[in-house]
Amino acid sequence: MALNAPVGAGTKRELIEAGSYNARCVHIIYMGSVLEETGIKQGQLVPKLRLVFELVDEKRVFSADKGEQPLFKDKEYTFSMSEKSNLRKDITAWRGKALTDDEAAKFDIDKLLGQACLVGISHKTSGKGSEYDYISSITKPMKGAMIAELTNEPVYLSYEDWDEDMFESLPSFVREKMEKTPEYIAMREQDAKAEAELDKVAKGAAKNSTPSETFNALSSPLTDEDEEEPAF
């Protein structure tokens, strides 16, 4: 009896139809220094930024429990505001006004969070023959256009403003890229050192305290300084 393996198992992702969509920037993710695997910078560490857009008028039911949810589409950039960088070109088109070199150098990327735009979606065929959708343009909305507010909470993620839940919610291929960066590795090493130091202090307190004092020390709530809000 022949044993045949299945071909093409899995569900094909539905492409976003080519066209222009009302959108807002919902996530800004500083990925860190990513090792380029292809292209002219192959083998080099390149700082990367990922912008995620909520297509505010385009909704699908991905889960019966959650009902309709807006579509997301993201774009990855080299984290550079040089004159020829794709990030600067898209921000210029998004603002509808060119940036001087001085303005570009001082531009706060986190100001993009929640900002309205028109996102152009186009289609291409990969070298393996599969069609995919991608962001081909980001422009300023037409004057007077009413762009719906975000459904999802806007999030800025960097190694200075880390959110573990946000990180775990990222696509696996994005997490894998970030996990290999020097910034991610250094952050985890720092976390491990801090945890070891805290454990050392706790054990020392337990050794030098009475049972009631130990309980009070370990059960006291820890407080963190309030995180600074992004400057929009």
Side-chain angles (χ1 to χ4, degrees):
M1 181 178 178
L3 179 63
N4 303 115
V7 176
T11 303
K12 184 179 180 180
R13 186 177 72 83
E14 180 183 354
L15 296 181
I16 300 173
E17 186 176 345
S20 295
Y21 295 88
N22 292 331
R24 288 183 184 272
C25 182
V26 65
H27 297 154
I28 297 176
I29 303 163
Y30 176 65
M31 299 173 65
S33 303
V34 176
L35 185 66
E36 289 282 19
E37 298 181 353
T38 59
I40 59 174
K41 293 185 178 181
Q42 185 177 3
Q44 298 180 34
L45 288 173
V46 180
K48 293 288 185 177
L49 183 79
R50 203 169 195 89
L51 300 182
V52 183
F53 298 88
E54 183 180 297
L55 308 185
V56 294
D57 300 325
E58 301 300 314
K59 299 185 178 182
R60 303 284 190 277
V61 177
F62 303 102
S63 167
D65 295 337
K66 296 181 179 180
E68 284 192 335
Q69 295 176 282
L71 296 179
F72 284 177
K73 194 61 190 170
D74 58 1
K75 185 172 181 177
E76 186 173 304
Y77 297 88
T78 294
F79 189 43
S80 168
M81 285 292 279
S82 66
E83 186 176 4
K84 295 183 178 181
S85 71
N86 288 328
L87 180 60
R88 183 166 169 177
K89 289 177 183 177
D90 279 353
I91 289 176
T92 295
W94 191 346
R95 295 175 73 240
K97 183 180 179 181
L99 291 160
T100 66
D101 286 343
D102 185 57
E103 288 173 332
K106 297 177 181 177
F107 189 83
D108 291 330
I109 299 298
D110 53 8
K111 286 183 177 180
L112 302 175
L113 203 60
Q115 294 296 323
C117 59
L118 280 178
V119 166
I121 301 292
S122 298
H123 292 178
K124 275 186 179 179
T125 301
S126 71
K128 295 182 179 180
S130 58
E131 189 177 20
Y132 64 94
D133 51 31
Y134 70 100
I135 293 178
S136 54
S137 64
I138 302 170
T139 56
K140 184 179 179 179
M142 294 182 63
K143 187 176 181 179
M146 300 296 290
I147 309 296
E149 294 298 324
L150 290 168
T151 299
N152 296 277
E153 182 180 357
V155 176
Y156 171 75
L157 180 67
S158 73
Y159 296 103
E160 288 74 35
D161 295 283
W162 190 255
D163 184 321
E164 192 68 28
D165 290 336
M166 173 62 186
F167 176 71
E168 291 297 332
S169 73
L170 297 176
S172 59
F173 75 94
V174 176
R175 294 199 309 272
E176 288 169 4
K177 282 185 178 182
M178 294 178 70
E179 287 169 350
K180 296 175 183 177
T181 65
E183 293 89 344
Y184 181 91
I185 293 169
M187 181 187 70
R188 290 306 189 197
E189 288 177 348
Q190 187 64 34
D191 288 345
K193 288 180 181 178
E195 187 175 343
E197 188 63 27
L198 184 61
D199 185 55
K200 182 180 178 181
V201 171
K203 286 180 178 178
K207 183 178 180 180
N208 299 318
S209 302
T210 64
S212 60
E213 290 174 336
T214 301
F215 175 79
N216 290 335
L218 297 180
S219 62
S220 298
L222 298 175
T223 59
D224 295 323
E225 294 182 358
D226 292 335
E227 292 185 1
E228 183 179 354
E229 290 291 330
F232 297 120

